[in-house]
Amino acid sequence: MKTVERRHKSTDADPTRDKLLDVAGRIFADRGYRAATIRQICVAADANVAAVNYHFGDKLGLYTEVVRQSARIAEFQAAQTVIDQDAPAEEVLRAVIRARLHSLFHGDRPDWNFRIMAHELAQPTPALRRLVNKAGQPLFHRLLELIGGMIGLPAEDENTRLCAISLLGQIMVYALAGPLVTAIWPEFEMTPEQVERIADHIADFSLSYIQNFRSKTSARSIKRTRPAVKPRASK
Amino acid sequence: MKTVERRHKSTDADPTRDKLLDVAGRIFADRGYRAATIRQICVAADANVAAVNYHFGDKLGLYTEVVRQSARIAEFQAAQTVIDQDAPAEEVLRAVIRARLHSLFHGDRPDWNFRIMAHELAQPTPALRRLVNKAGQPLFHRLLELIGGMIGLPAEDENTRLCAISLLGQIMVYALAGPLVTAIWPEFEMTPEQVERIADHIADFSLSYIQNFRSKTSARSIKRTRPAVKPRASK
Amino acid sequence: MKTVERRHKSTDADPTRDKLLDVAGRIFADRGYRAATIRQICVAADANVAAVNYHFGDKLGLYTEVVRQSARIAEFQAAQTVIDQDAPAEEVLRAVIRARLHSLFHGDRPDWNFRIMAHELAQPTPALRRLVNKAGQPLFHRLLELIGGMIGLPAEDENTRLCAISLLGQIMVYALAGPLVTAIWPEFEMTPEQVERIADHIADFSLSYIQNFRSKTSARSIKRTRPAVKPRASK
Amino acid sequence: MKTVERRHKSTDADPTRDKLLDVAGRIFADRGYRAATIRQICVAADANVAAVNYHFGDKLGLYTEVVRQSARIAEFQAAQTVIDQDAPAEEVLRAVIRARLHSLFHGDRPDWNFRIMAHELAQPTPALRRLVNKAGQPLFHRLLELIGGMIGLPAEDENTRLCAISLLGQIMVYALAGPLVTAIWPEFEMTPEQVERIADHIADFSLSYIQNFRSKTSARSIKRTRPAVKPRASK
DNA sequence: AATGAATGAGCCTTCATTCAT
DNA sequence: GATGAATGAAGGCTCATTCAT
């Protein structure tokens, strides 16, 4: 708020700053904003406690930069997956799911991008809401478009939204609730193969509903009262 | 590590202790373990700062007790839903989903049971892992049994587990990632009706896959290489 | 701002709090608000660093209380001097001057009342302006009334105000600019006798002008241009 | 205590150094020594953080230089006013008062000379006492001479000193206790005209006593209860 | 049995200062 | 000769915990 944010001439080549950013990313991702301490970060980055203040002005400044970078990477990754936009919707959806899970556990760059976001989603840092939302929007928007297209409803339709949330929930649970996963599946380990398998499962699981959605349209009206017969048509 | 655990003659009827427990539950559920302060809790419970230490020995002691109680309630609730165990699996599943979502947002008294668990799942308190797992087990176990029964595979099968996680993920996302939900659905608000609708959606969404699972068995083998044809039954 | 200000049942008998207040008064008076450190104060008061937070919530809270107490004492002293209000104005004025100087250097209670005020007057603590003003008002008001009465002008008249400031300036200089006094008068020392002598001098010095003021009324108009002959005419 | 003092070949023409000095003067005058930070100064002077250290070795080094310069200017100004030394004492006195007030609020370039001195008088920087005293001496000495001459007593006489202090107190109060002035005179504003008016008032106020001083010797007796004969005159 | 008072460790931040180009 | 980067020593504040009734 009061101090300088950026004092450096060029954006590249500031080893201390970069290391700080990298280490901070990891630690923030592990512990969350509050629990992480500047000292931990600085010790791990082999820097002085005041270095954070010098380079980022603030603990929040450092964190903001970390999130910003995460956001940049997220946007970039999202953009990258767009390439095969002319592929069939199903394939695109599978690609998106796989990409998300991948960036969550095996992104080439710092692997904490998504976990930072996860923390923010769980316990938002007041000052950062907008930034995080902005970072997530491309993904969310795409998902809504995609699903909307597949179920033949506008992106803003309640059903589209519910499906998008269902889909994201399946992905996020791995990021947000590791212990839950472990509790259900003790031998679970995040190997690249496992990631693939999970991605496939989530896709299959979700497409099953999405691709059969159309047949349901007419049964909508009774929903309200918890109907004895659910709209699963063919069932 | 800590000394006192319980100094009282009888286990019942200690209004201060009870109020402390109640208030602490709410506050821990709202802010998480670290962010909640003993003082906040004591002020809110209209008790002395030392009361926590007196009754529970520790902040962690209080929290443990809160979680323990949450766990008890969770087990109880899980047991309660079992009553109609002879109902069709689908209905049981629907009931479980609805019950979870309900306890998450509109539980009667201690509406924070599940939220505490959510916090623990997201950022486990080291000392409590086992306790939380234990508390979750009944639910997880039941879910695995149920789904396993429906898809005709053992509870320990990878597919059963993936389905359970998918199902729980859809529920947990509402507990763990409010901002995500808001980002996708800005007008969203957690009215009782909305909860019902979401519960229905999650059930529909999940059952679509689960109830059609059988037909998939043969297609398994090609999975690894991203098969041209995915096992999605009707497709 | 956020913490509790007063947690104590009765206003008396809290030795730590009182000692803290006393020591803080002295140190704040010596060094000013910023330069004084909580640690210095606590060490000198033989208390823990956190004691300040506990009893006053804040460094500013402690300081505020110190100033408030100073203000109370100031008001009390001012009120006390009023007793001989029916005495001739000149005598009252002399009494006021003497009382001020006295409280400045030889108040029975903590001797820093006035020096705190002096610091506040020199470099006001933003949050305390009102409090200090309130504390000073009784004195200022009385002085204006008194002088106004003697020179036959309303208290709000510019001349009354200028005289009051001149009078107070002569007193304050001893509080605010010790080094100046020492520079002019190296052997100077604040013995009770010296205080008396100074009080007399200030009274004489000021009354000379005030008591002869009437004769000046007509000469006002030429003032602006720095007249060759000043209005001391008849004198 | 500090190492470097001056590393430059010639004493003139170092724009950075000069600007630093100028800006530092203003900022020190505004905020005082402690509250002013090297960074503020360097930023305002458009110089590097290390510049102060480079040019003056120290924060105190910079401040010392600022004060030294202030002292030089003060001496110069004092000398300048002396020019009309053959004018009547009263006129010289008026001129001195006006000059002081003027330099306090409307000095041409470095308008902070006097305010720096004011800060030093209120809260002396240990290492600078002598320097400041030296800077003030010319003014003080002249004032004592002048007043001594007018009341017919030596410059070292107690009465002369008391008068000088009274005179200076009336001036300094405007520099040191702005809030006091404002409290007494809310609408007060330091326009050039106001400065003139105040200067006139202080001169009138003081001359009234000084010019009538002799006549006072006998009237002493009624004073308060305190001594029948006060030390004036014969002493 | 229960509480108000006190404590010490740790956190974030600021700042003057020094270092390595 | 001059500067951007880095450092360490405080400072204020918060908090869980303990002490003395």
Side-chain angles (χ1 to χ4, degrees):
Chain A
M1 186 170 288
K2 64 202 70 117
T3 48
V4 204
E5 174 65 29
R6 200 69 174 80
R7 300 182 176 84
H8 311 289
K9 28 200 168 183
S10 102
T11 181
D12 60 318
D14 192 332
T16 303
R17 196 186 127 95
D18 289 351
K19 182 150 199 191
L20 230 32
L21 220 42
D22 180 46
V23 169
R26 200 157 35 242
I27 293 185
F28 279 134
D30 281 351
R31 309 220 210 296
Y33 178 70
R34 288 196 63 145
T37 81
I38 280 189
R39 271 176 176 78
Q40 287 173 332
I41 293 171
C42 286
V43 167
D46 205 21
N48 189 277
V49 210
V52 165
N53 176 260
Y54 178 71
H55 285 288
F56 306 95
D58 229 350
K59 184 187 183 182
L60 186 59
L62 170 57
Y63 186 63
T64 304
E65 199 52 38
V66 166
V67 173
R68 204 189 301 276
Q69 179 171 313
S70 262
R72 258 198 299 273
I73 296 182
E75 287 186 67
F76 172 74
Q77 288 179 341
Q80 217 174 15
T81 331
V82 174
I83 293 175
D84 32 358
Q85 207 165 17
D86 40 355
E90 179 192 331
E91 290 307 314
V92 176
L93 197 65
R94 288 185 177 276
V96 168
I97 293 170
R98 187 173 305 109
R100 283 304 116 189
L101 274 175
H102 227 80
S103 85
L104 189 48
F105 290 104
H106 295 286
D108 3 333
R109 307 309 167 104
D111 68 319
W112 34 260
N113 303 336
F114 214 70
R115 267 187 297 154
I116 290 268
M117 289 298 161
H119 270 292
E120 275 303 312
L121 289 174
Q123 303 202 42
T125 306
L128 262 54
R129 263 210 155 93
R130 212 180 324 166
L131 182 56
V132 171
N133 280 2
K134 185 168 146 286
Q137 278 316 331
L139 171 61
F140 300 158
H141 191 67
R142 172 117 78 113
L143 228 45
L144 288 169
E145 291 286 333
L146 218 56
I147 295 172
M150 296 177 83
I151 65 177
L153 289 175
E156 308 80 29
D157 188 88
E158 181 184 309
N159 290 290
T160 316
R161 283 168 165 160
L162 284 170
C163 287
I165 295 174
S166 277
L167 183 50
L168 285 168
Q170 293 178 73
I171 299 174
M172 298 298 289
V173 72
Y174 290 94
L176 295 176
L180 182 149
V181 173
T182 311
I184 288 187
W185 194 348
E187 317 86 24
F188 178 82
E189 221 171 326
M190 257 310 173
T191 63
E193 296 81 34
Q194 201 61 281
V195 171
E196 287 295 318
R197 208 166 315 165
I198 293 170
D200 281 338
H201 164 79
I202 295 177
D204 295 345
F205 194 96
S206 306
L207 285 168
S208 170
Y209 178 82
I210 291 172
Q211 293 184 327
N212 293 332
F213 183 79
R214 261 173 220 289
S215 48
K216 172 201 268 186
T217 26
S218 58
R220 274 281 103 186
S221 48
I222 4 173
K223 193 130 197 199
R224 191 79 299 271
T225 54
R226 287 266 309 100
V229 184
K230 270 287 147 155
R232 267 137 284 118
S234 64
K235 189 175 71 167
Chain B
M1 186 171 288
K2 290 297 136 6
T3 55
V4 220
E5 171 69 25
R6 197 72 174 81
R7 290 190 185 82
H8 302 291
K9 27 210 166 176
S10 107
T11 182
D12 60 321
D14 188 333
T16 303
R17 197 187 123 95
D18 289 351
K19 182 146 200 193
L20 229 31
L21 221 41
D22 180 45
V23 168
R26 198 159 40 245
I27 293 186
F28 280 135
D30 280 352
R31 310 216 211 295
Y33 177 70
R34 288 198 64 135
T37 81
I38 283 190
R39 267 200 166 74
Q40 287 174 332
I41 294 171
C42 287
V43 167
D46 210 17
N48 189 275
V49 209
V52 163
N53 230 265
Y54 178 71
H55 285 287
F56 304 95
D58 225 349
K59 184 187 183 182
L60 187 59
L62 169 58
Y63 186 62
T64 305
E65 200 51 38
V66 165
V67 173
R68 204 189 303 276
Q69 177 171 312
S70 257
R72 260 197 300 272
I73 297 180
E75 289 185 67
F76 172 73
Q77 286 180 341
Q80 213 175 17
T81 330
V82 174
I83 293 175
D84 29 0
Q85 205 164 19
D86 40 354
E90 179 191 332
E91 289 309 315
V92 177
L93 198 67
R94 286 185 178 279
V96 169
I97 293 170
R98 188 174 306 109
R100 285 304 119 188
L101 273 174
H102 229 79
S103 84
L104 194 48
F105 290 103
H106 295 285
D108 337 341
R109 228 31 12 209
D111 67 321
W112 35 260
N113 302 336
F114 209 66
R115 266 188 296 155
I116 290 265
M117 291 298 160
H119 269 291
E120 275 302 313
L121 290 175
Q123 303 199 46
T125 305
L128 263 53
R129 260 210 155 94
R130 214 177 330 162
L131 182 57
V132 171
N133 281 1
K134 185 167 145 289
Q137 279 314 331
L139 171 61
F140 299 157
H141 192 66
R142 170 113 81 111
L143 225 45
L144 288 168
E145 291 287 334
L146 216 60
I147 294 172
M150 296 176 83
I151 65 177
L153 288 175
E156 306 82 27
D157 188 88
E158 181 184 310
N159 288 289
T160 317
R161 285 168 164 161
L162 284 170
C163 286
I165 295 174
S166 277
L167 183 50
L168 285 169
Q170 291 177 76
I171 298 174
M172 298 298 288
V173 71
Y174 290 95
L176 297 177
L180 182 150
V181 174
T182 311
I184 288 186
W185 195 346
E187 315 87 25
F188 178 82
E189 220 171 327
M190 256 311 173
T191 63
E193 296 83 32
Q194 202 62 280
V195 171
E196 287 296 318
R197 206 167 315 165
I198 291 169
D200 282 338
H201 164 78
I202 294 177
D204 295 346
F205 194 94
S206 306
L207 284 168
S208 170
Y209 179 81
I210 290 172
Q211 293 183 327
N212 292 333
F213 183 80
R214 262 173 218 290
S215 51
K216 170 201 268 187
T217 26
S218 59
R220 275 280 106 184
S221 48
I222 6 174
K223 193 128 200 203
R224 192 74 304 266
T225 54
R226 293 266 306 97
V229 185
K230 271 283 152 161
R232 267 132 287 122
S234 63
K235 193 176 74 168
Chain C
M1 189 171 284
K2 63 203 68 121
T3 49
V4 204
E5 172 68 29
R6 199 71 173 81
R7 301 183 177 82
H8 310 290
K9 31 201 166 184
S10 101
T11 181
D12 59 318
D14 192 333
T16 304
R17 197 188 125 96
D18 289 352
K19 183 151 199 189
L20 230 31
L21 220 42
D22 180 46
V23 168
R26 200 158 35 244
I27 292 186
F28 279 135
D30 280 351
R31 308 219 212 297
Y33 177 69
R34 289 195 62 144
T37 81
I38 279 189
R39 274 175 175 80
Q40 286 174 332
I41 293 171
C42 286
V43 167
D46 207 19
N48 189 278
V49 208
V52 164
N53 177 260
Y54 178 72
H55 285 288
F56 305 95
D58 227 350
K59 184 186 182 182
L60 186 59
L62 170 56
Y63 185 61
T64 304
E65 199 52 38
V66 166
V67 172
R68 205 190 301 276
Q69 179 170 312
S70 261
R72 260 198 299 273
I73 296 181
E75 287 185 67
F76 172 73
Q77 287 178 342
Q80 215 176 17
T81 330
V82 173
I83 293 173
D84 30 358
Q85 205 165 18
D86 41 353
E90 181 193 330
E91 290 307 315
V92 176
L93 198 66
R94 286 183 181 278
V96 167
I97 293 170
R98 188 173 304 110
R100 283 305 118 189
L101 274 174
H102 227 79
S103 84
L104 188 49
F105 291 103
H106 294 284
D108 3 334
R109 308 306 165 108
D111 70 317
W112 35 260
N113 303 337
F114 214 71
R115 266 187 297 154
I116 290 267
M117 290 298 163
H119 270 292
E120 274 303 313
L121 290 174
Q123 303 201 43
T125 306
L128 262 55
R129 263 212 154 91
R130 214 180 324 165
L131 182 57
V132 171
N133 280 2
K134 184 168 145 286
Q137 279 313 333
L139 170 61
F140 300 157
H141 191 66
R142 169 114 80 113
L143 227 45
L144 287 168
E145 291 287 333
L146 217 58
I147 295 172
M150 295 176 84
I151 64 176
L153 289 175
E156 307 81 28
D157 188 89
E158 180 184 310
N159 290 289
T160 317
R161 284 168 164 161
L162 283 171
C163 285
I165 295 173
S166 278
L167 184 50
L168 284 169
Q170 292 178 76
I171 298 174
M172 298 298 288
V173 71
Y174 289 94
L176 296 177
L180 181 150
V181 174
T182 310
I184 289 186
W185 195 347
E187 316 87 27
F188 177 82
E189 221 171 327
M190 257 309 175
T191 64
E193 298 82 31
Q194 201 63 280
V195 171
E196 287 297 319
R197 209 166 313 165
I198 292 170
D200 282 339
H201 163 78
I202 295 177
D204 295 344
F205 193 96
S206 307
L207 284 169
S208 170
Y209 179 82
I210 291 171
Q211 293 183 327
N212 291 332
F213 181 81
R214 262 174 219 289
S215 49
K216 176 201 265 188
T217 26
S218 59
R220 273 281 105 185
S221 50
I222 3 173
K223 193 131 201 196
R224 191 78 302 269
T225 54
R226 291 267 306 97
V229 185
K230 270 284 148 160
R232 267 132 289 122
S234 62
K235 198 166 57 169
Chain D
M1 186 171 288
K2 291 296 136 9
T3 55
V4 218
E5 173 65 28
R6 198 73 172 82
R7 287 191 185 84
H8 304 290
K9 28 210 164 173
S10 109
T11 182
D12 59 322
D14 188 333
T16 304
R17 197 186 123 95
D18 289 351
K19 183 145 198 196
L20 230 31
L21 221 42
D22 180 45
V23 168
R26 197 157 43 242
I27 292 185
F28 279 136
D30 280 351
R31 310 217 212 293
Y33 177 71
R34 287 199 64 138
T37 81
I38 283 190
R39 266 197 168 76
Q40 288 174 331
I41 293 171
C42 287
V43 167
D46 209 19
N48 189 275
V49 208
V52 162
N53 230 265
Y54 178 70
H55 285 289
F56 304 95
D58 226 348
K59 185 187 184 182
L60 187 59
L62 169 58
Y63 185 62
T64 305
E65 199 52 37
V66 166
V67 173
R68 204 190 301 279
Q69 178 171 314
S70 256
R72 260 197 300 274
I73 296 180
E75 289 186 66
F76 173 73
Q77 287 179 340
Q80 212 175 19
T81 331
V82 174
I83 293 176
D84 31 359
Q85 206 166 18
D86 40 354
E90 180 192 330
E91 290 309 314
V92 177
L93 198 67
R94 287 184 178 277
V96 169
I97 293 170
R98 186 173 308 108
R100 285 305 118 188
L101 273 175
H102 228 81
S103 84
L104 194 47
F105 291 103
H106 295 285
D108 336 339
R109 225 35 8 209
D111 67 320
W112 35 261
N113 303 334
F114 209 66
R115 268 188 296 156
I116 291 265
M117 290 298 160
H119 270 292
E120 275 303 312
L121 290 174
Q123 303 200 46
T125 306
L128 263 54
R129 260 209 155 95
R130 212 178 327 161
L131 183 56
V132 171
N133 280 1
K134 184 167 147 288
Q137 279 315 331
L139 170 62
F140 300 157
H141 191 67
R142 171 114 81 110
L143 226 46
L144 288 168
E145 291 286 333
L146 217 59
I147 295 173
M150 294 176 85
I151 64 177
L153 288 175
E156 306 82 27
D157 188 88
E158 181 184 310
N159 289 290
T160 317
R161 285 168 163 159
L162 284 170
C163 286
I165 295 173
S166 278
L167 183 51
L168 285 167
Q170 292 178 76
I171 298 174
M172 298 298 289
V173 73
Y174 289 95
L176 297 178
L180 181 149
V181 173
T182 311
I184 288 186
W185 194 347
E187 315 88 23
F188 179 82
E189 223 171 324
M190 255 312 174
T191 63
E193 296 81 34
Q194 201 63 277
V195 171
E196 287 294 317
R197 207 168 314 167
I198 291 170
D200 281 338
H201 164 79
I202 294 177
D204 295 347
F205 194 95
S206 306
L207 285 168
S208 171
Y209 178 81
I210 291 171
Q211 293 184 329
N212 290 334
F213 182 77
R214 265 175 216 289
S215 51
K216 164 201 271 184
T217 24
S218 58
R220 274 288 97 187
S221 47
I222 6 172
K223 199 88 181 265
R224 202 81 289 254
T225 54
R226 297 229 324 88
V229 186
K230 266 286 152 159
R232 256 115 286 135
S234 62
K235 193 173 67 167

